[in-house]
Amino acid sequence: MDVLVPFAATEPKTRLAGVLRPDERAAFARAMLEDVCGTVAEAGGSPTVLSTADLDCEWPVVVDDRLLTPAVNDRLDPPVAVVMADLALSTPAALSRLFGADGDVVIAPGLGGGTNALVVRHPDFSTDYHGVSVADHRRIAEAIGATVTEIDSFRLSVDIDEPEDLVELALHGDGPAAAWLEDAPVGVGTDATGGRATVTRG
Amino acid sequence: MDVLVPFAATEPKTRLAGVLRPDERAAFARAMLEDVCGTVAEAGGSPTVLSTADLDCEWPVVVDDRLLTPAVNDRLDPPVAVVMADLALSTPAALSRLFGADGDVVIAPGLGGGTNALVVRHPDFSTDYHGVSVADHRRIAEAIGATVTEIDSFRLSVDIDEPEDLVELALHGDGPAAAWLEDAPVGVGTDATGGRATVTRG
């Protein structure tokens, strides 16, 4: 299956500013992109990086500097998948479940209402990544009479966007992005409240 | 399968204090408990509520006011499962995957290093819910030579503990707990930053 992997090439991962410097964020975003494209290929997909700027990369790259939604919609030629470049917890098994699931539209929801991965088999479907996109994508599918399947995957639900997501990568990742993080100056721990683990720059 | 459902009966869900009043938190915790026990039963499990205080409930209840770890370990008679009472996104399908997975120890990781659900088939395994429990449980299993399987489930990874978890319940839940939340004075939305959706008291 053709798989678009959208990538923000300029100042990526600004929400990680509290724990990673700009050069580290850029390197980390690249490590995640390579990781995700490799995992897509292992799962039998053919990745194309949809980048906001030119990129030296081992995978095919197309450049489109528009916002995510129009850039994706212009290339939504079914059957096609869209897999975010920061799904560093994704595994071949998780992506195989996505690619292999039945349905005109297959959605892997992301934390906080996102759509982290998507398979589109219906010619009239279009994306809307602005706002609570999982709800928008359900509505768009319903409006065109497309069947929707949702994939229940923790590994596809965590896009590495906020500092707390680094906890998930440190605890559950095993690819190049997790290896990059292991060498980075951040540590994972819990405080005395018994809540979720957090990361700190050490 | 016998399934322990640990429940903190006194002042539950204090981390939701920013959006729910104490009486609302107590009612919501009860709605989630009933929801989870019902889902466990639909998945073929026999739930027993392991409560910190006496409780009027349609399911069997045992009371143990100690901390979670010793209370669970005293009742860890394999094969047995432990499913947290705040897994309000759990479905019969997700719990069936958990109960049906092979392995001496089956773990459904929670966000932030937690262990949201567990199946124990090895007589020497014991739990340690303090700290980053998923890492501890992997270590404990390894030390006794027990095989570990991890379940990749978004629905089992989200325990409803922090205000942002209510977003997941509002967007993905369809049981009694989600119905309770729908009637509660909280709303889900996104701000202009394009980040994850949040809840606000409206």
Side-chain angles (χ1 to χ4, degrees):
Chain A
M1 185 174 314
D2 288 332
V3 181
L4 296 170
V5 182
F7 181 69
T10 313
E11 292 187 38
K13 298 289 134 201
T14 50
R15 286 191 204 100
L16 297 179
V19 286
L20 296 177
R21 294 190 317 247
D23 61 315
E24 292 169 340
R25 300 200 299 274
F28 181 49
R30 280 303 301 261
M32 291 201 288
L33 174 67
E34 302 280 350
D35 196 330
V36 168
C37 287
T39 307
V40 164
E42 280 186 75
S46 300
T48 297
V49 180
L50 176 55
S51 177
T52 57
D54 204 18
L55 202 66
D56 182 25
C57 177
E58 69 167 301
W59 307 97
V61 176
V62 293
V63 176
D64 190 325
D65 65 1
R66 290 176 296 169
L67 290 172
L68 180 59
T69 297
V72 166
N73 284 341
D74 263 10
R75 294 165 180 87
L76 216 54
D77 191 19
V80 63
V82 185
V83 174
M84 293 302 155
D86 56 1
L87 300 191
L89 290 183
S90 63
T91 56
L95 286 177
S96 294
R97 281 169 61 207
L98 176 82
F99 298 155
D102 290 330
D104 295 332
V105 177
V106 183
I107 295 173
L111 289 171
T115 305
N116 284 354
L118 193 62
V119 172
V120 177
R121 297 195 183 91
H122 194 293
D124 299 334
F125 186 80
S126 61
T127 68
D128 181 355
Y129 283 103
H130 189 75
V132 184
S133 68
V134 72
D136 292 331
H137 290 148
R138 288 171 183 156
R139 270 194 293 267
I140 292 166
E142 191 180 23
I144 61 171
T147 59
V148 174
T149 302
E150 300 203 13
I151 299 293
D152 176 25
S153 170
F154 166 63
R155 291 185 169 276
L156 299 182
S157 75
V158 180
D159 49 326
I160 309 295
D161 219 20
E162 306 277 352
E164 62 262 32
D165 304 327
L166 298 176
V167 173
E168 310 306 339
L169 184 57
L171 291 172
H172 303 289
D174 59 3
W180 186 94
L181 185 63
E182 205 167 322
D183 293 333
V186 297
V188 170
T190 51
D191 61 21
T193 67
R196 290 175 183 157
T198 52
V199 291
T200 47
R201 187 159 181 115
Chain B
M1 183 173 314
D2 287 333
V3 181
L4 296 169
V5 182
F7 182 69
T10 314
E11 292 187 39
K13 298 289 133 202
T14 50
R15 286 192 205 100
L16 296 179
V19 285
L20 295 177
R21 295 191 317 248
D23 60 315
E24 293 168 339
R25 299 200 300 272
F28 181 48
R30 281 303 301 262
M32 291 202 289
L33 174 68
E34 304 279 350
D35 196 329
V36 168
C37 288
T39 307
V40 164
E42 280 185 75
S46 300
T48 296
V49 180
L50 174 56
S51 177
T52 56
D54 205 17
L55 201 67
D56 181 25
C57 178
E58 69 167 300
W59 307 97
V61 176
V62 294
V63 176
D64 190 325
D65 65 2
R66 290 177 298 170
L67 290 172
L68 181 59
T69 297
V72 166
N73 284 341
D74 263 11
R75 293 166 180 85
L76 216 55
D77 190 20
V80 63
V82 186
V83 174
M84 293 304 156
D86 56 2
L87 299 191
L89 290 184
S90 64
T91 56
L95 287 177
S96 294
R97 281 169 61 205
L98 176 83
F99 299 155
D102 290 331
D104 294 334
V105 177
V106 184
I107 295 174
L111 288 170
T115 304
N116 283 355
L118 194 62
V119 172
V120 178
R121 297 194 181 95
H122 194 292
D124 298 335
F125 186 80
S126 61
T127 67
D128 180 356
Y129 282 103
H130 189 75
V132 184
S133 69
V134 72
D136 292 331
H137 290 147
R138 288 171 183 158
R139 271 193 293 268
I140 293 166
E142 191 179 22
I144 60 171
T147 58
V148 174
T149 303
E150 299 202 14
I151 299 293
D152 176 25
S153 170
F154 166 65
R155 292 185 168 277
L156 300 182
S157 75
V158 180
D159 49 325
I160 309 295
D161 217 20
E162 306 278 352
E164 62 262 33
D165 305 328
L166 298 176
V167 172
E168 309 306 338
L169 183 58
L171 290 173
H172 303 289
D174 60 2
W180 186 94
L181 185 63
E182 204 166 323
D183 293 334
V186 296
V188 171
T190 51
D191 61 20
T193 68
R196 290 174 183 159
T198 52
V199 291
T200 46
R201 189 160 180 113

